[in-house]
Amino acid sequence: NAGVTQTPKFQVLKTGQSMTLQCAQDMNHEYMSWYRQDPGMGLRLIHYSVGAGITDQGEVPNGYNVSRSTTEDFPLRLLSAAPSQTSVYFCATSDYSNEQFFGPGTRLTVL
Amino acid sequence: GENVEQHPSTLSVQEGDSAVIKCTYSDSASNYFPWYKQELGKRPQLIIDIRSNVGEKKDQRIAVTLNKTAKHFSLHITETQPEDSAVYFCAASRSNTGKLIFGQGTTLQVKP
């Protein structure tokens, strides 16, 4: 089993460009989340989903969109990238126990 | 809103000493409290967790205590080793929400 996978591993964007960070899981978990990690600020929740077709905002949702059309996939879309979105992005999944399993992360730089 | 405060932000100990990291949370409905260890360039890995019906949990050199009245929980690492050096995060959540609120992290350095 691959667990939680994220693509790409690294990405450089110019201000104003859009892109989608991919997250996929084969753990059959209902819950999926996106976090961003910035130095000194820990991991902050962007968006999360409790099942296919259901998403909700986290602590820092502005500038990001999500959708959950299948149990396995939870893509994160940056609509118009800004330098403030330079960060490491982690996708995570969990079952009803709430124990979260993290993907390897995507390191994004916005110039 | 929900908030988790973590202290200290950095901690340096001598090998063999104990290390203690403390967290407080704001949401009184939180009932799940995990601790994650993150090594440089890697993803966070769960090292221990505790639920609100338990006051203390131990796993070899690692223990976590929870005080629900004070909304406070702590990570204790005994007999520290250089490989314990990493960033540690606490988090809090409610059951069946699929989301965690994290503390800001503690960088632990264990000197040989």
Side-chain angles (χ1 to χ4, degrees):
Chain A
N1 288 349
V4 184
T5 59
Q6 291 184 238
T7 55
K9 287 194 167 81
F10 302 94
Q11 183 70 50
V12 179
L13 292 177
K14 293 181 180 176
T15 297
Q17 287 185 314
S18 62
M19 80 159 294
T20 299
L21 308 185
Q22 301 292 346
C23 176
Q25 54 114 349
D26 62 1
M27 305 175 78
N28 203 30
H29 285 170
E30 285 298 314
Y31 304 145
M32 296 186 76
S33 309
W34 276 102
Y35 298 87
R36 60 176 288 175
Q37 184 172 30
D38 303 297
M41 301 192 73
L43 292 105
R44 291 182 293 168
L45 182 67
I46 305 172
H47 286 285
Y48 65 104
S49 168
V50 298
I54 306 169
T55 64
D56 206 348
Q57 296 181 350
E59 302 169 272
V60 288
N62 292 343
Y64 307 95
N65 271 1
V66 292
S67 59
R68 182 101 181 268
S69 55
T70 67
T71 300
E72 294 78 21
D73 300 294
F74 191 40
L76 178 72
R77 296 182 189 84
L78 280 70
L79 307 172
S80 177
S84 61
Q85 294 179 303
T86 293
S87 189
V88 180
Y89 291 85
F90 287 101
C91 176
T93 76
S94 65
D95 59 15
Y96 300 105
S97 73
N98 262 23
E99 178 183 344
Q100 303 230 338
F101 296 84
F102 284 85
T106 294
R107 187 173 295 273
L108 176 68
T109 302
V110 182
L111 302 174
Chain B
E2 301 155 328
N3 188 47
V4 176
E5 294 287 335
Q6 182 172 345
H7 298 281
S9 56
T10 60
L11 180 58
S12 182
V13 300
Q14 221 43 55
E15 182 178 359
D17 287 351
S18 295
V20 180
I21 303 170
K22 299 182 179 182
C23 290
T24 58
Y25 59 97
S26 62
D27 182 4
S28 55
S30 294
N31 55 11
Y32 176 64
F33 307 93
W35 286 89
Y36 286 83
K37 176 182 180 182
Q38 187 179 31
E39 295 173 343
L40 193 63
K42 302 283 182 66
R43 72 190 83 183
Q45 299 275 8
L46 180 72
I47 56 171
I48 195 168
D49 56 14
I50 192 167
R51 297 187 188 271
S52 59
N53 56 348
V54 174
E56 183 174 359
K57 185 176 178 180
K58 245 183 169 179
D59 183 2
Q60 298 182 350
R61 296 187 296 109
I62 294 172
V64 58
T65 59
L66 172 64
N67 182 330
K68 282 215 72 178
T69 304
K71 292 191 282 186
H72 173 271
F73 59 113
S74 301
L75 177 71
H76 305 252
I77 306 174
T78 58
E79 301 171 23
T80 54
Q81 300 165 3
E83 51 265 38
D84 294 330
S85 297
V87 180
Y88 291 81
F89 292 98
C90 64
S93 80
R94 302 184 187 188
S95 299
N96 297 335
T97 59
K99 63 173 185 174
L100 295 176
I101 303 300
F102 282 87
Q104 296 86 347
T106 296
T107 301
L108 173 64
Q109 181 187 27
V110 180
K111 298 178 187 173

